[in-house]
Amino acid sequence: MQDRIKALLQLEPSDEMVRAEGWVRTKRDSKNVSFVEINDGSCLKGLQAVIDRSRFDSSLLDRITTGASIVAEGRIVPSQGGNQKTELSVDNLTVIGDCPQDYPLQKKRHTVEFLREKAYLRPRTNLFGAVTRVRNTMSYAVHSFFQENGFIYVNTPLISASDCEGAGEQFQVTTLDLGNVPMTEDDKVDYSKDFFGKMANLTVSGQLEGETYATAMKNIYTFGPTFRAENSNTTRHLAEFWMIEPEMAFCTLEGDMEWAEKFLKYIFSAVLEKNAEDMEFFSKFVLEGVEDTLRHVIESPFAHMTYTDAIKALEPENDRFEFPVKWGVEIQTEHEKFLTEHVAGCPVIVTDYPKDIKAFYMKLNDDGKTVRAMDVLAPRLGEIIGGSEREYRYDVLVNRMHELGLNPADYWWYLDLRKYGTVPHAGFGLGFERAVQYVTGVANIRDVIPYPRYAKSCEY
Ligand code: ATP
Ligand code: MN
C-alpha cells in the first residue's frame, strides 16, 4: 500500500524509498531540474517532486503536464525552496495517463460557474478538494455524534407511498407509460396500474417514519437523501439534498433545542480539529474570517427568542425589508439574517410559531395559537435546522388534521402511535449541505455537493 501525499508530507528526510501517486497540478522547469507538484486529494498541499532533468529522457519529461497522472519514487529530502520543508527527490518516474493541452483546469483561478460546468473534474481543484474533505469530516462527525450519544441509525424509505407529506414539492415515482397513461372511468390517472398499485413519491422527509422508530428505540437518527421539487432558484435550495433527522422520545422542545445546539457545535468542532488547512484556505479565498466565526459560534451559547418576540424586533425595521412582517406571516431569509446578524449577533433559535404557518404534527401550545416549533437560524444563511415537539395527544392531532383539511384515515399508522403508548417526543432536520455551506463559507449550495440537482439542471 502506498502512502497518501498527506502522510508523505509529514515524513522527515531519510534514505528510505517512498512512492507518490497522484495528478500533476503544476510543473516548473529550470535549466537542470523540474519542479512538479503532485496532488492526490488527501490534503490541500501537493508534494513537490524534484526531477533532475539530466537523469530522464526529455520525451518522458514532456509528458509531465498539468492533469497527468504519475507515479514518482524517490527519497524525502530537505527542500531548498521556501514554500515547503521537504520535497521528493525523484529516482523513478512513470507517467500513467497523459493529459493533453485541452485539459480544462489549466493553472489559473477559475470561477465557480465555470467549474460547475466541469463538475466531473472540479474535485481536482483546491476549492472542491477542500469542500469534499470537509464534507467527509462532517458526515463522519454526524455518525460519531449520534453513536457516542446512544442514538440508533435508521434508514427510512426513499420511495414513499403515503400521499400525505409536503404537498406540491414531491417528485412522483412511476413506471406508467407517460405517452399512454391509463385512466379510470371518471377520468383520473389509474394508479392501480402503476408499479406500487398506488401513487408514489420520492421522500421529502423521513420524519414520520422516524417517529415510529423513536417510539420504540427512544433515540434515533436518519441521514440520507431527500428530494424536493423546489422551483425556486436560490443559493440555499437543491432538488436533491441530504438531511439528518434525529427523533427523541421522552423529550420535549427544550431537550430538542439542547440536542440541536450540541450537535451543531460537535460537527463544527470536528472540522476545526481535522481540517485546519482547509479552513485556512476558506478564510483566505472564500469568505474572510469564516474560521473565526465558526470558533465564535462553538464557544458562545445560541440565543433564544419566541416568534412573537422576533416579530416585535423586526417590525420597527420593516422599511428595510422586501417583505414587511407582522404577527402571523412567515419569517423569510431576509428577516432570519437580520435577527442573527443585527439583533443577536450569533445563531438564534426561534420558537413557538403561529400554528397556521407550520405543519400539522407540531405540538399545539396552551394558547391555542402557536405550536412548539423551533428553527435554528444562522448568520449569513438563515434557517439551517427546522424542528419541533410533536403533537402526541390523539384528539388534538386529529383536530389539527381536520383544521388543515387532511384526512386522518391517510395517516392511520401515524395516529396509531398516539394510541399505543404515546409519549412526548421531538426531533429536527438539518440540511446537510446548508451546514457544509455554513462551515466553508461557500456562497452557493450547488458548490458543496458533487453533482447538484436543481430545476432544469441534471448534468452528469
Ligand atoms: P426553507 O424554508 O429554507 O425552504 P424548510 O422550512 O422547507 O426550509 P424543513 O422542511 O424544515 O425546511 O427541512 C429541514 C431542513 O432541511 C432545513 O432547515 C434546511 O436546512 C434543509 N432544507 C430544506 N429544503 C432544502 C432544499 N431544497 N435544499 C437543501 N436543504 C434544504
Ligand atoms: Mn422549503
Coordinates of all heavy atoms in Angstrom, one line a residue, residues 169 204 228 230 236-243 333 336 358 375 383-387 429-434 445, ligand 1:
E169 N -44.4 19.7 -3.4 CA -42.9 19.6 -3.6 C -42.4 18.3 -4.0 O -41.2 18.1 -4.0 CB -42.2 20.1 -2.3 CG -42.3 21.6 -2.1 CD -41.4 22.0 -0.9 OE1 -41.1 21.2 -0.1 OE2 -41.0 23.2 -0.9
V204 N -39.7 13.5 1.0 CA -39.3 14.9 1.3 C -38.8 15.0 2.7 O -38.3 16.0 3.1 CB -40.5 15.9 1.1 CG1 -40.8 16.0 -0.4 CG2 -41.7 15.6 1.9
R228 N -36.8 17.4 -3.1 CA -37.9 18.3 -3.1 C -37.9 19.0 -4.5 O -36.9 19.6 -4.9 CB -37.8 19.4 -2.0 CG -37.9 18.7 -0.6 CD -38.0 19.7 0.5 NE -38.0 19.0 1.8 CZ -38.0 19.6 3.0 NH1 -38.1 20.9 3.0 NH2 -38.0 18.9 4.1
E230 N -38.3 21.8 -5.6 CA -38.2 23.2 -5.3 C -38.1 24.0 -6.6 O -37.1 23.8 -7.3 CB -37.0 23.6 -4.5 CG -36.8 22.8 -3.2 CD -37.4 23.5 -2.0 OE1 -38.2 24.5 -2.2 OE2 -37.1 23.0 -0.9
R236 N -29.7 28.4 -1.7 CA -29.8 27.5 -0.5 C -30.7 26.3 -0.7 O -31.0 25.6 0.2 CB -30.4 28.3 0.7 CG -29.6 29.6 1.0 CD -30.3 30.4 2.0 NE -31.7 30.7 1.6 CZ -32.8 30.3 2.2 NH1 -32.7 29.7 3.3 NH2 -34.0 30.5 1.7
H237 N -31.2 26.2 -1.9 CA -32.1 25.0 -2.2 C -31.6 24.1 -3.3 O -31.2 24.6 -4.4 CB -33.5 25.6 -2.6 CG -34.3 26.2 -1.5 ND1 -34.2 27.5 -1.2 CD2 -35.1 25.6 -0.5 CE1 -35.0 27.8 -0.1 NE2 -35.5 26.6 0.3
L238 N -31.7 22.8 -3.1 CA -31.4 21.8 -4.1 C -32.7 21.0 -4.3 O -33.5 20.9 -3.4 CB -30.3 21.0 -3.7 CG -28.9 21.6 -3.6 CD1 -27.9 20.7 -2.9 CD2 -28.4 21.9 -5.1
A239 N -32.7 20.3 -5.4 CA -33.8 19.3 -5.6 C -33.5 18.0 -4.9 O -34.4 17.2 -4.5 CB -34.1 19.1 -7.1
E240 N -32.2 17.7 -4.8 CA -31.8 16.5 -4.1 C -30.7 16.9 -3.1 O -29.7 17.5 -3.4 CB -31.1 15.5 -5.1 CG -30.6 14.3 -4.4 CD -29.9 13.4 -5.5 OE1 -30.6 12.8 -6.3 OE2 -28.7 13.3 -5.5
F241 N -31.0 16.7 -1.8 CA -30.0 17.1 -0.8 C -30.0 16.0 0.3 O -30.8 15.1 0.3 CB -30.3 18.5 -0.2 CG -31.7 18.6 0.5 CD1 -31.7 18.6 1.9 CD2 -32.9 18.8 -0.2 CE1 -33.0 18.7 2.6 CE2 -34.1 18.9 0.5 CZ -34.1 18.8 1.8
W242 N -29.1 16.2 1.3 CA -29.0 15.2 2.3 C -29.5 15.8 3.6 O -29.2 16.9 3.9 CB -27.6 14.7 2.5 CG -27.2 13.8 1.3 CD1 -27.1 14.1 0.0 CD2 -26.9 12.4 1.4 NE1 -26.8 13.0 -0.7 CE2 -26.6 11.9 0.1 CE3 -26.8 11.5 2.5 CZ2 -26.3 10.6 -0.2 CZ3 -26.5 10.2 2.2 CH2 -26.2 9.7 0.9
M243 N -30.3 15.0 4.3 CA -30.8 15.5 5.6 C -30.5 14.6 6.7 O -30.5 13.4 6.6 CB -32.3 15.8 5.4 CG -33.0 16.4 6.6 SD -34.2 17.7 6.2 CE -35.5 16.6 5.7
T333 N -36.0 34.6 4.6 CA -34.5 34.7 4.8 C -34.0 36.1 5.2 O -33.1 36.2 6.0 CB -33.8 34.3 3.5 OG1 -34.4 33.0 3.1 CG2 -32.4 34.0 3.6
E336 N -34.5 36.4 8.8 CA -33.7 35.5 9.5 C -32.3 36.1 9.6 O -31.6 36.0 10.7 CB -33.7 34.1 8.9 CG -35.0 33.4 8.9 CD -35.1 32.1 8.1 OE1 -34.2 31.9 7.3 OE2 -36.1 31.4 8.3
K358 N -47.2 26.5 10.2 CA -46.3 25.3 10.5 C -47.1 24.1 10.2 O -48.3 24.1 10.0 CB -45.8 25.4 11.9 CG -44.7 26.4 12.1 CD -43.4 26.0 11.4 CE -42.3 27.1 11.6 NZ -41.1 26.8 10.8
D375 N -36.8 26.8 14.9 CA -35.9 26.9 13.8 C -34.6 27.4 14.3 O -34.6 28.4 15.0 CB -36.4 27.9 12.7 CG -37.5 27.2 11.8 OD1 -37.9 26.1 12.1 OD2 -38.0 27.9 10.9
E383 N -32.3 29.9 7.9 CA -32.6 28.6 8.6 C -31.6 27.5 8.2 O -31.4 27.2 7.0 CB -34.0 28.2 8.2 CG -34.4 26.8 8.7 CD -35.8 26.3 8.2 OE1 -36.6 27.2 7.8 OE2 -36.0 25.1 8.3
I384 N -31.1 26.8 9.2 CA -30.3 25.6 8.9 C -31.0 24.3 9.5 O -30.8 23.2 9.0 CB -28.8 25.6 9.1 CG1 -28.5 25.8 10.6 CG2 -28.1 26.7 8.3 CD1 -27.0 25.6 10.8
I385 N -31.7 24.6 10.6 CA -32.4 23.4 11.2 C -33.9 23.8 11.4 O -34.2 25.0 11.8 CB -31.8 23.1 12.6 CG1 -30.5 22.3 12.4 CG2 -32.8 22.4 13.5 CD1 -29.9 21.8 13.7
G386 N -34.8 22.9 11.1 CA -36.2 23.1 11.4 C -36.6 21.9 12.3 O -36.3 20.8 12.0
G387 N -37.3 22.2 13.4 CA -37.7 21.1 14.3 C -38.9 21.4 15.1 O -39.4 22.5 15.0
G429 N -34.6 18.5 11.7 CA -34.0 18.2 10.5 C -32.9 19.2 10.2 O -33.2 20.4 10.2
L430 N -31.7 18.7 9.9 CA -30.6 19.6 9.5 C -30.3 19.3 8.0 O -30.1 18.2 7.6 CB -29.4 19.4 10.3 CG -28.1 20.0 9.7 CD1 -28.1 21.5 9.9 CD2 -26.8 19.5 10.4
G431 N -30.4 20.3 7.2 CA -30.0 20.2 5.8 C -28.5 20.1 5.8 O -27.8 21.1 6.1
F432 N -28.0 18.9 5.4 CA -26.5 18.7 5.4 C -25.7 19.7 4.6 O -24.7 20.3 5.0 CB -26.2 17.3 5.0 CG -24.7 16.9 5.2 CD1 -24.1 17.0 6.4 CD2 -24.0 16.4 4.1 CE1 -22.8 16.6 6.6 CE2 -22.7 16.0 4.3 CZ -22.1 16.2 5.6
E433 N -26.2 20.0 3.4 CA -25.5 21.0 2.5 C -25.5 22.4 3.1 O -24.5 23.1 3.0 CB -26.1 21.0 1.1 CG -25.7 19.8 0.3 CD -26.4 18.5 0.7 OE1 -27.5 18.6 1.4 OE2 -25.9 17.4 0.4
R434 N -26.6 22.8 3.8 CA -26.6 24.1 4.4 C -25.5 24.2 5.5 O -24.8 25.2 5.7 CB -28.0 24.4 5.1 CG -29.0 24.5 4.0 CD -29.8 25.7 4.1 NE -30.9 25.7 3.1 CZ -32.1 25.9 3.3 NH1 -32.6 26.2 4.5 NH2 -33.0 25.8 2.3
I445 N -25.1 26.7 -2.6 CA -25.3 25.3 -2.2 C -24.9 24.4 -3.3 O -24.5 23.2 -3.1 CB -26.8 25.1 -1.7 CG1 -26.9 23.8 -0.9 CG2 -27.7 25.1 -2.9 CD1 -28.2 23.7 -0.1
Ligands
ATP1 P1 -36.7 26.6 3.8 O1 -37.7 27.5 4.4 O2 -35.3 27.1 3.9 O3 -37.0 26.1 2.4 P2 -37.9 24.4 5.0 O4 -38.7 25.0 6.0 O5 -38.6 23.9 3.8 O6 -36.6 25.3 4.7 P3 -37.7 21.9 6.5 O7 -38.8 21.3 5.8 O8 -37.8 22.3 8.0 O9 -37.1 23.2 5.7 O10 -36.4 21.0 6.3 C1 -35.3 20.9 7.3 C2 -34.0 21.4 6.8 O11 -33.7 20.9 5.5 C3 -34.0 22.9 6.6 O12 -33.8 23.6 7.8 C4 -32.9 23.1 5.7 O13 -31.6 23.1 6.4 C5 -32.9 21.9 4.8 N1 -33.6 22.1 3.5 C6 -34.9 22.2 3.3 N2 -35.1 22.3 2.0 C7 -33.9 22.2 1.3 C8 -33.5 22.2 0.0 N3 -34.4 22.4 -1.0 N4 -32.2 22.1 -0.3 C9 -31.3 22.0 0.7 N5 -31.6 21.9 2.0 C10 -32.9 22.1 2.3

